[in-house]
Amino acid sequence: MLIERKSYLFEMIRNELADAVGAEFVNCADSDKMGHSIDYYWIPELWHDRGKETKKPDFVVHPGSAEEVSKVLKIANQYQIPVTTWGGGSGSQGGALPVYGGIILDTKRMNKVLQIDEQSLSVTCETGIIARHLEWEVNKAGYSTMHLPASIACATIGGFLAHRGTGVLSTKWGKIEDMVMSLEVVTPTGEIIQTLPVPRHASGPDLTMLFLGSEGTLGVITKVTLKIHPQPEARKFRAFIFEDMHTAMSAGADLMRSRLRPCAVRLYDEEETSHHVKRVLGLDRKGAYLVFGFDGQEKIVDLEMEYALQIMSRYKAEDLGSKGGELWWENKYKFFYPGYMFHLPQAFGTLDTVADFAHIEKVYQAMKDVVKTNFPQARFIGHFSHWYEWGCMLYARFIFEGEHVPADAEEAVALYNRVWDLAIRAAIANGGVINEHHGVGLKLGRLMKELYGDGFKVLEGIKKTLDPNNIMNPGKMGFKGV
Amino acid sequence: MNIEKHTEAIKACRFCFMCRHLSGIGNVTFRESDTPRVRALLLDQVMSNPALLANADTLETLYNSDLSAACRYHCVKHFDENGLLLAAREDVVKAGLAPADVCQVAAEYLARPAAPAISGKGDVLYFIDYNTAAVPAIATAFGKIMKKAGVSYRSAEKGCPGKALKVLGYANEAQKAAREFAAAVNAANVKTIVVSNPAAYDALVHDFPEMGIKLKGKVMHTSEYLLSLKLACRKKAGALYYLESDFLKNYHPDYEFPGKLLSHLGAKRLTFGTNNEESYTCGEGALVLQQLRPVLVKKLACYIEARADHPEKDLLVTASPYTRKQLSTHTKLKVVTLEELTASLI
Ligand SMILES: Cc1cc2nc3c(=O)[nH]c(=O)nc-3n(C[C@H](O)[C@H](O)[C@H](O)COP(=O)(O)OP(=O)(O)OC[C@H]3O[C@@H](n4cnc5c(N)ncnc54)[C@H](O)[C@@H]3O)c2cc1C
Ligand code: SF4
């Protein structure tokens, strides 16, 4: 932001914002500005770790309703101040960072569950609610959203909508975009709009889908109606150790092609099995760990499991039984806690992508080769987490141990970006895409034009129309900066 | 600096979001600064530049916490985000940076005699600290139970084992108070010391040994002691919601006695709110939060009220006199302590 903190214009804007959301909810405290200058993206973490100044917002506002969001956006348009929407800040792509200063619009005050509709099986809530809190509320009524991501405790529902996020049960219950019925959105110019009430229709193009994945660049999603489901009577898991990842991938793909409906399938490559899976689950095996599960009515679950086991029996694999599978389910979030998760001084990144079964192994190999060849000092591990009828998601990671990370912050960032550029280009060249569920943000914006080609002009046109003053999250997702 | 002892927690928490759903204050202020992550980030900066501890916003953040330890309890590796904050407060006070409101509350506690006034006869000493004394019905209920059980006991009224001072960062003063308190209690030469306030329980069972202070007599929270009396009940407690105490759940994870006492009383425990992870205590862990941040305490109370199934009908039971007081003051909830519940059933 170009306005000086000490200027009277700054105070005038602060007053206007206070008028819009209440003085208590306009915050300029250094501690909060610090908190909003670092999300889950490795680069600001490194920047902080190296004692460098991270980019801070000028104001942090906490609107309590769509109307208040609208007022804030109108003020921002008036003074042409960048607005960055912040949910939980758990995004790994730098999407919520206020890289041009300005206003952080923190959504967490909009945290109400408005209705649980037991006739249609849906829940309507404000989007600043933390996913865990929503799930708890829905559980109390006897249901589940079935959206159980590893960041359930820290990310908001709005963040997942903005990123097209995914939970561990996505293989049966879908990504967040499959769960949405309808949205309320405040557009960058402050109009409050409601998308159509149902997700299937032939009433023109789908506005709901336009906003899903828009990462705060096309407006603020303020309300959502999501599908909910009765808690399943049973949820059962089974795990196997395959000799190698390729064989396990064939078995996993067979499972999906059989059109059985597992709620989760996860396959870890040899490297991740022998290190990460061992560390977290205490399972000491060589080979590739494949786990899957079914949920629903117990009889149906048992029958599906029986068919799934028939598929597995065609392969040479060690059956770890239901114990080996439950172990993963019980510890599914443990992978992400300090003590188990990668952390500075390591440099690491999740190169997640998705492709169909015809391409996914090529994508994996190409990414692995490019990392190994260009950065022999780095480790490359991967697992396949979210499976579809036609393919699956690759959750690959590169890791540099601390001694291989340049001490100089700028050099470390350059190294980091080079890995991303090479690895993501390798994915795209082999049938993958930039990302599957973490989004684009600041991290990968520069690659959007390469991915979309001329198609990106369509997105730019939409952005320009909706956000003529370019106030919403400028410089993200490949869109123009300030 | 004291926070250096907690470097591990700083490094773990500074980029971690995994327990933010349990940040009691964060859930009512919606501020990022009221989470273990941002507090660790701020203290990480302080480690490399101690002058930053003087920042007024940092100080406000450090004293905002409800110290429930819900995050530490939830954390897979139990990183001590709570201990880090206490250490930081100690550094603040040592550096002479304690904000005026903190100094004022500390002054109140410093002015109080540490040694309790002891009266009565018997092998059991019942400690009525300031928080317990603030709800006279608790000591009355305890007296009724003891009469029924035919046990004579001594009362140790008021007095200060140093917990409030410790929480405010006044470590030396806390230790001095603890020693004076212990000397007075030890002079009474009792077999059993019973406390209603879980904060006092934590002080006597955890802080005292850490300071090298020995108490004669076994320390019990009232739940443990009342259970040991094997009281016969006239009627069953029935359906109720038990609000866990931060100290008895998150600080002493294996403390099973409130649950056992409730079973003994024939309680049918219902789940309060939506989960058993959040702290529903109004900031019990921070002990003097009501004096320091009354607006936040009110918000915490309203947060709890909003989670009740039938706010004006449900019976809520707490082990904490502090929680009892705050909920009765700020909400319409019907809340009693374990002692009051027990007395009403025997
Ligand atoms: C430990 C850990 C594990 C993770 N595991 C998963 C996982 O299993 N699945 C998964 O999908 N992700 C995962 N993530 C990533 C992250 O949680 C998701 O990207 C999540 O969607 C971010 O939500 P948030 O509320 O934290 O959003 P933020 O990080 O605050 O914001 C992310 C982006 O969304 C925008 N935004 C936020 N709210 C809104 C809104 N209401 N309207 C418009 N734009 C908005 C922001 O401007 C920003 O561009 C994980 C992250 C962590 C830290
Ligand atoms: S206490 Fe544990 S879960 Fe919470 S922020 Fe620290 S490391 Fe993360």
Side-chain angles (χ1 to χ4, degrees), chain A residues 337-338, chain B residues 12-13 16-19 36-37 71-72 74-75 79 81:
Chain A
Y337 282 81
Chain B
C13 299
C16 175
F17 293 75
M18 297 303 276
C19 61
R37 177 184 74 97
C71 292
R72 179 179 66 194
H74 167 88
C75 180
F79 284 109
E81 47 86 31

Side-chain angles (χ1 to χ4, degrees), chain B residues 253-267:
Chain B
D254 297 324
Y255 204 73
E256 60 199 348
F257 295 102
K260 283 192 163 169
L261 177 65
L262 287 169
S263 301
H264 175 79
L265 298 174

Side-chain angles (χ1 to χ4, degrees), chain A residues 225-245:
Chain A
T225 301
L226 292 168
K227 299 173 199 167
I228 55 173
H229 310 275
Q231 287 284 17
E233 189 181 68
R235 182 172 285 142
K236 296 186 181 178
F237 291 88
R238 194 88 176 199
F240 293 84
I241 293 283
F242 286 76
E243 227 164 45
D244 55 63
M245 191 198 86

